[in-house]
Amino acid sequence: MQSNLFSLCLSTPFVKPPNPNPKGPKPKLSHLSHSSSSTQLNLNSTHGLSQQSPVYAFSSSCFNLRVCGSFFVSNQRNNSFKVRVASVSENTGDTVKPSGVIKTLQLGFMFGIWYILNICFNIYNKQVLKVYPFPATVTAFQFGFGSLMVALMWASNSYIRPKITPQQLAAIFPLAVAHTLGNLLTNISLGKVAVSFTHTIKAMEPFFTVVLSALILAERPTLWVVSSLVPIIGGVALASFTEVSFNWTGFYSAMASNLTNQSRNVYSKKLMVKKEESLDNINLFSVLTIISFILLAPVAIFLEGAKFTPSYLQSAANQGLNVRELCVRSLLAGFCFHGYQQGG
C-alpha cells in the first residue's frame, strides 16, 4: 500500500515564502520544538497556515506530513508555503516484488542454462566413455565431484546445511539407491549406443510414470492419458528398429534407467514426511548426491577395479584423448552433471 509524504524542507528553494518588500523587515525565525511524539496539525486553509499556529507533524491513515529542518520561516505579510509530495511505501519493510515479465525472463533463462548444461554433459560424457569404457567408475567420479561442490556450498554458507534426522535418512535412502542406479544405467547405455538413441529410449519415461503410479499410488489413468502414450511407444519402437548403433545392452540399460528414475519420483510422492521436517529440493538433491557417491564408490572398485591408475589413463590416451584432455573433460562432465540435475 502506498501513501503520500508531504515534506517541508529549507534545503529546497520553493519552501521559502516570497518577500515582496526587499527593504522591509526580515522574516522571523522561530525554533521548532523537537518532540518525539506527533500531535495533530490544525489546517485552517488549504493555502496557508495561521501566523500564530505552531508547526506540527500530522499523521493519519491516508498520508504523512513531515516538517524538515530546524527552523521555519514565517512572514507577517505572506505566510503561504508550498508542499512537496512524494510517494513512499507505508511499510518500510515491504520489498519490491518482480513483475510477471521479469519472472518469465528469469524462468526462461534458467531453462536455457539447464538445457545447455544437459547438452554439454552428454557431449563430454560420451567423449570420456568412448575412450574410458568404465561407466561405474565414471559415474562414481561424477557423484564425487558433485559431493565436493555440495561440501563447498555448505562450507561457504552459500546454502544452509540441513540437519538430517535418522527418520529422514531412512526415508531418503531408498531414493538415493534409485538415484544411483538410474544414473549408472544411463551411463552404461551412453557408453554402448549413440547419445541420441539413449535419449530416444528415455522418452518412454511417461509410460513408466503412469504404470508405477497405478501400481504404487493406486492412481487410475484416464483414457486420454493412456491414448497419449501410444505415439510415444510407437515412436520408440520405430527408432529402435532403425537405429544403426542398436545393441541390447544399451537398450535394456536405458529402459532400466527409466524404471529406476520414475520409481524414485513416484516413491518420493508416497513418502510421508512432516512438512516442518522436510528438506528443500537443493538440500535433498545434495544429500542424495553424497549418499550415491558413498554407495557407488566401493561398488565401482569391486566391479571394475582401480581403473584410475596412470596406466589405464594412458591407455585412454592411445584412443584419442591424452591424459590432460581426459581429466578436463571428466571434470567438465561432472560439473555439468551436477549443475543440470540440481537445476532440474
Side-chain angles (χ1 to χ4, degrees):
M1 184 180 294
Q2 298 287 326
S3 61
N4 290 331
L5 173 64
F6 290 79
S7 176
L8 302 177
C9 185
L10 293 178
S11 60
T12 54
F14 55 74
V15 298
K16 294 182 180 181
N19 187 8
N21 188 8
K23 299 181 180 181
K26 294 183 178 180
K28 297 179 181 180
L29 299 178
S30 57
H31 284 279
L32 290 177
S33 60
H34 298 276
S35 176
S36 60
S37 61
S38 297
T39 55
Q40 294 185 348
L41 173 65
N42 183 16
L43 298 175
N44 297 328
S45 173
T46 58
H47 299 288
L49 287 175
S50 176
Q51 178 183 347
Q52 291 82 11
S53 301
V55 180
Y56 298 95
F58 178 82
S59 176
S60 69
S61 61
C62 298
F63 61 88
N64 294 328
L65 180 62
R66 295 180 183 175
V67 180
C68 302
S70 302
F71 298 96
F72 177 76
V73 180
S74 176
N75 194 328
Q76 294 180 354
R77 301 183 62 178
N78 192 341
N79 58 2
S80 62
F81 61 92
K82 295 183 180 180
V83 179
R84 184 158 51 101
V85 181
S87 177
V88 296
S89 176
E90 186 179 32
N91 186 2
T92 56
D94 293 343
T95 57
V96 179
K97 296 182 179 179
S99 62
V101 177
I102 296 178
K103 287 183 177 180
T104 303
L105 293 176
Q106 290 176 345
L107 184 61
F109 177 76
M110 293 175 66
F111 268 117
I113 294 298
W114 174 84
Y115 198 73
I116 292 173
L117 290 175
N118 195 343
I119 293 174
C120 293
F121 164 72
N122 284 285
I123 294 175
Y124 292 132
N125 196 43
K126 180 63 177 179
Q127 290 176 346
V128 171
L129 289 172
K130 190 174 181 179
V131 300
Y132 189 77
F134 306 109
T137 302
V138 171
T139 307
F141 174 80
Q142 291 168 356
F143 282 135
F145 188 84
S147 300
L148 179 61
M149 294 181 64
V150 171
L152 293 176
M153 177 184 69
W154 286 342
S156 61
N157 291 327
S158 299
Y159 210 83
I160 300 176
R161 181 174 62 87
K163 296 181 180 179
I164 307 297
T165 62
Q167 293 79 11
Q168 286 179 320
L169 186 61
I172 293 173
F173 187 78
L175 298 178
V177 173
H179 182 66
T180 305
L181 290 175
N183 287 281
L184 174 60
L185 292 169
T186 299
N187 276 344
I188 292 175
S189 178
L190 289 173
K192 295 295 182 180
V193 297
V195 175
S196 58
F197 182 57
T198 297
H199 286 280
T200 300
I201 300 172
K202 289 178 73 65
M204 286 283 292
E205 285 184 348
F207 170 80
F208 290 96
T209 301
V210 172
V211 173
L212 292 172
S213 296
L215 295 176
I216 299 176
L217 303 178
E219 295 179 355
R220 295 184 58 184
T222 63
L223 179 61
W224 295 106
V225 173
V226 175
S227 60
S228 67
L229 297 177
V230 175
I232 297 177
I233 298 173
V236 172
L238 181 62
S240 300
F241 285 131
T242 58
E243 175 61 35
V244 177
S245 64
F246 177 87
N247 66 70
W248 289 108
T249 302
F251 178 82
Y252 284 129
S253 297
M255 281 293 182
S257 172
N258 290 336
L259 178 61
T260 54
N261 286 333
Q262 298 313 306
S263 298
R264 176 196 62 192
N265 295 336
V266 173
Y267 179 74
S268 63
K269 297 180 181 179
K270 191 176 177 61
L271 290 178
M272 301 299 294
V273 182
K274 293 182 179 180
K275 185 177 180 181
E276 61 271 11
E277 295 181 356
S278 61
L279 298 176
D280 57 69
N281 293 332
I282 293 179
N283 278 329
L284 177 59
F285 178 76
S286 300
V287 174
L288 288 177
T289 300
I290 296 174
I291 296 176
S292 296
F293 172 67
I294 295 174
L295 290 176
L296 187 58
V299 174
I301 296 175
F302 177 77
L303 293 177
E304 298 176 346
K307 302 299 184 182
F308 41 83
T309 59
S311 59
Y312 282 101
L313 296 178
Q314 187 61 39
S315 65
N318 298 330
Q319 302 183 40
L321 288 179
N322 57 43
V323 177
R324 180 178 177 275
E325 292 174 339
L326 178 63
C327 294
V328 170
R329 282 167 171 75
S330 298
L331 290 173
L332 291 174
F335 173 79
C336 296
F337 171 78
H338 182 78
Y340 95 83
Q341 290 212 346
Q342 182 72 272

